[in-house]
Amino acid sequence: MAGAFILGCEGPDLTEREAAFFRDSDPWGFILFARNVDTPDRLRALTGALRDSVGRHAPILIDQEGGRVQRLGPPFWTRWPRPLTQMSRAGDPERAMFLRATLIARELRAVGIDVNCTPTADIAGERTHPFLLSRLYGDSTDTVASRARANAEGCLQGGVLPVMKHIPGHGRGTVDSHKGLPRVEAALNQLRATDFEVFRRLADLPMGMTAHVVYTAIDGEPGTISPAVHAEIRGTIGFDGLLMTDDISMGALPGDLATRCRGAMDAGCDVVLHCNGEWDDLQVVASHCPRLEGESLRRADRALTLRADPVELDTEAARAELDALTS
């Protein structure tokens, strides 16, 4: 059984040391960042080498939201506008989001990437931190839920699995969770009617990513390591897909890396996500996360059954339609 973790690597080529480590530790999947991206041929070689290292068609993830968060860009890939900006001028936002997501997915599949960490299903608010705001789709539950659904469907039709984030909702956060710990003071009934409701409507999606956010109406722990927040995700929200942490090395979480890994797994995460590819950190994550088994293995296997070839699409016509909708 694979390890209950997703790891990054250091550069655009897999080193012999990394390949040997991945062979022995057997992460469930991998995640790529701009540091791993050079030319399409080199990127295809890297995704192939990662899968060869574990001897199976492991999922390979990336954050290709468009706007400020996109790891692939010109001259080989499309420079996508910020989602909030593009959706605000779209004549049919749901159709535009679907086209955008399926076109992005096709660019990813062409280089061996089959999971995109999108849709970002948090609700934009007056106090949403700038690190997140431009990445969002709208400012109401209905708007965000419908556009996030369109995004997820576009991913799937493009042959890529979606990972909705940041469950159960990051939009009220006023702190960048890369650097500090956001605290949301809203009442639980208000959260359940708005932020959490978006994810309840998307609870059938195959994978989700946690929010490093404290919800004081629930408890004082960041959601990623809070058993009570996980009970809300699995219970009231009803999400039964594979649940991964947001990057376990982000500044929002307390304790050292080993403590964070154990805390996330004990709280109820299925898989720990670690992104920086730093050698010493890889050893810690691999040694403090278990193997996938039980319900976590079931969820992981079920998610991967949804990987499929892209649905046939005239990409030039789709781009023209998207341009017409958003011009």
Side-chain angles (χ1 to χ4, degrees), residues 131 176-179 212 246-253 260:
F131 101 92
D176 181 352
S177 55
H178 293 86
K179 301 176 181 178
H212 296 333
D246 201 347
D247 182 7
I248 201 70
S249 63
M250 287 165 62
L253 297 180
R260 296 176 181 195

Side-chain angles (χ1 to χ4, degrees), residues 114-182:
D114 57 7
V115 182
N116 195 6
C117 297
T118 181
T120 309
D122 309 307
I123 299 174
E126 292 181 357
R127 300 185 63 200
T128 303
H129 192 280
F131 101 92
L132 182 63
L133 181 61
S134 67
R135 301 163 56 191
L136 304 185
Y137 303 163
D139 59 5
S140 73
T141 300
D142 290 345
T143 296
V144 175
S146 63
R147 294 175 186 178
R149 171 69 67 184
N151 181 293
E153 291 175 353
C155 287
L156 289 166
Q157 290 211 17
V160 165
L161 295 179
V163 181
M164 65 173 177
K165 57 190 184 186
H166 305 83
I167 190 170
H170 205 312
R172 295 177 187 267
T174 59
V175 173
D176 181 352
S177 55
H178 293 86
K179 301 176 181 178
L181 178 59

Side-chain angles (χ1 to χ4, degrees), residues 118-297:
T118 181
T120 309
D122 309 307
I123 299 174
E126 292 181 357
R127 300 185 63 200
T128 303
H129 192 280
F131 101 92
L132 182 63
L133 181 61
S134 67
R135 301 163 56 191
L136 304 185
Y137 303 163
D139 59 5
S140 73
T141 300
D142 290 345
T143 296
V144 175
S146 63
R147 294 175 186 178
R149 171 69 67 184
N151 181 293
E153 291 175 353
C155 287
L156 289 166
Q157 290 211 17
V160 165
L161 295 179
V163 181
M164 65 173 177
K165 57 190 184 186
H166 305 83
I167 190 170
H170 205 312
R172 295 177 187 267
T174 59
V175 173
D176 181 352
S177 55
H178 293 86
K179 301 176 181 178
L181 178 59
R183 298 178 63 86
V184 170
E185 307 285 345
L188 185 56
N189 61 353
Q190 183 180 13
L191 290 168
R192 285 175 172 171
T194 55
D195 303 61
F196 295 5
E197 173 64 12
V198 174
F199 292 95
R200 190 190 68 79
R201 297 184 192 181
L202 302 170
D204 59 307
L205 293 183
M207 292 190 282
M209 180 184 293
T210 62
H212 296 333
V213 174
V214 168
Y215 307 93
T216 59
I218 297 178
D219 65 10
E221 295 289 333
T224 299
I225 58 173
S226 165
V229 172
H230 281 263
E232 184 77 14
I233 292 169
R234 297 301 191 187
T236 303
I237 291 172
F239 178 65
D240 189 40
L242 183 77
L243 187 61
M244 66 185 71
T245 71
D246 201 347
D247 182 7
I248 201 70
S249 63
M250 287 165 62
L253 297 180
D256 60 19
L257 190 55
T259 300
R260 296 176 181 195
C261 290
R262 290 193 298 267
M265 301 306 296
D266 289 345
C269 285
D270 296 309
V271 175
V272 165
L273 173 67
H274 182 268
C275 296
N276 66 29
E278 294 181 3
W279 181 251
D280 290 344
D281 284 1
L282 300 181
Q283 322 299 309
V284 174
V285 174
S287 60
H288 288 89
C289 293
R291 315 309 292 176
L292 272 169
E293 60 182 5
E295 286 297 291
S296 293
L297 179 59

